[in-house]
Amino acid sequence: MKRSMLQLGIVTLVVSSATAAFLPTTEAFNVRAPQLKTQTFLSPPFFLRPGGVVNKWYYDVDFPRGHVALKSFNGEVVDDAGAPVPLHETYLHHWLVAPYYVYGQSMIPITNSGPCKDSLGQHFGLGSETRQTATWVPDPYAIEIGKPAPAGYDERWFINVHAIDTRGAPDKLACAECRCDFYNVTVDEAGSRIGNGYVGGLHCCYDSTRCRVDGAFANNGEPPRKLFLRYTVSWLDWSDAVHVPVRIYILDVTDTALFDGNPNPYCKVEYRVDECSSEDRAKNNCVDMKTTEEMVSHGGDLVYAVAHLHRGGLGSSLHGQDGRLLCKSMPIYGTGQEAGNEEGYIVGMSTCYPEPGTVKVSHGEVLTMVSNYSSERQHTGVMGHFYILVADQQEQALNKPALCFSFPYSWCVPAWMWSNQM
Ligand SMILES: *[C@@H]1O[C@H](CO)[C@@H](O)[C@H](O)[C@H]1NC(C)=O
Ligand SMILES: *[C@@H]1O[C@H](CO)[C@@H](O)[C@H](O)[C@H]1NC(C)=O
């Protein structure tokens, strides 16, 4: 029903804009949405030798300015000539991007709305899956940025890039999973001793550490490779009449605060998957399933969802309090050698785009997330996150001329054409 009305609206619009060419008085029918803009930027360069690690934070990076509706963000590692670098050479552990306010030496982070905003506060962030994961925010929704800053403050953006050069590594997976024995580190970045039980993860592959590589690569005498994060942002000028803002929630399967009855979320970001027992192996049951509960503070329409998994990941799902499936996000493994399709690596994650208005979460609803990994072998430093966009429940949504499209080009169906029929 809804759909056919929409199609009717489109047909009517086409007719009326054709008429508009001859009748200037009908120009008001042709309500045009702001124009979609897309721009590609480069991060500052970073330098890697075989085995090397960078975990850099770049402040005040190039980014759209002003009051804008963010629609998508994609990134990848490229070399000095602009060529995409495959994951088996430079493993992109993660990149993340977020705005902050700055005034002299004072800095205030602008985080998302999720329970993990202290550790996973970013607006966008992905890892090896970045080249084949859709980040498009469906119309009429958008991430609203550039709202008025506190007096004296300016809004800026930072990017964090964590990359590992695995050229010449005898065990590329061990380097990518930050196995402590391969990095030969005994203290973490802050200088604290790494506990015996911690066999791998972010505490062992911080900036400037080095993973084990074969002798010929270790001292090959070549200068370090110069690399960049190349990122592409799509956005429109913000319009209250066209855009509906969304809240970003990042949920982490390691946050067990609700299970534990603890009022404060504790998002550990990463965890370890142990190798399955021989009994499980005999039963062909080497799947590590981890679940937790996370709360969303504000209810509304779920408009986009995607999970983040590392290599070994089998799939992830998100469920409402009554058990209904909100999203299932599955990894795409590469099958070749070229950038974007590297064999054995997660090169993309499937995403969920529920039809607008059909999937809702309520205020304070407790969601259950499931994160599955293969436990055929041990995996360290793995992640199980869900990134979701939720549009607040709002009365005025009905009055909005919300039938606007910015893809492949921008235009809107005027509200009067369809609102009285739905
Ligand atoms: C590991 O680190 C120790 C102490 O820093 C050093 O003596 C040893 O040579 C290192 N081993 C390797 C294989 O790099
Ligand atoms: C996770 O694993 C469990 C147990 O094998 C399975 O029932 C479930 O369907 C899996 N979920 C996803 C999203 O892969």
Side-chain angles (χ1 to χ4, degrees), residues 285 287-290 314-319 325 327-330 370-373:
N285 194 20
V287 175
D288 179 281
M289 183 173 92
K290 200 171 175 68
L314 297 174
S316 189
S317 58
L318 185 67
H319 308 261
L325 180 68
C327 178
K328 189 164 121 175
S329 180
M330 306 299 277
V370 177
S371 174
N372 286 346
Y373 273 87

Side-chain angles (χ1 to χ4, degrees), residues 2 138-141 244 300-304 324 353-361 389-393 397-398:
K2 247 183 179 169
D139 296 341
Y141 308 102
V244 178
D301 289 319
L302 180 76
V303 307
Y304 169 86
R324 71 194 187 283
Y353 284 99
E355 203 167 313
T358 60
V359 177
K360 292 182 190 297
V361 293
L389 298 177
V390 179
D392 281 3
Q393 209 83 58
L398 278 181

Side-chain angles (χ1 to χ4, degrees), residues 122-140:
Q122 67 267 20
H123 275 45
F124 294 101
L126 290 171
S128 67
E129 75 272 35
T130 189
R131 288 189 174 104
Q132 285 197 46
T133 302
T135 62
W136 179 256
V137 182
D139 296 341

Side-chain angles (χ1 to χ4, degrees), residues 174 178-185 198-200 204 210-212:
C178 302
R179 282 254 309 272
C180 301
D181 50 346
F182 276 73
Y183 284 87
N184 196 23
V185 295
Y198 188 86
V199 292
C204 289
R210 195 166 185 201
C211 194
R212 193 188 302 161

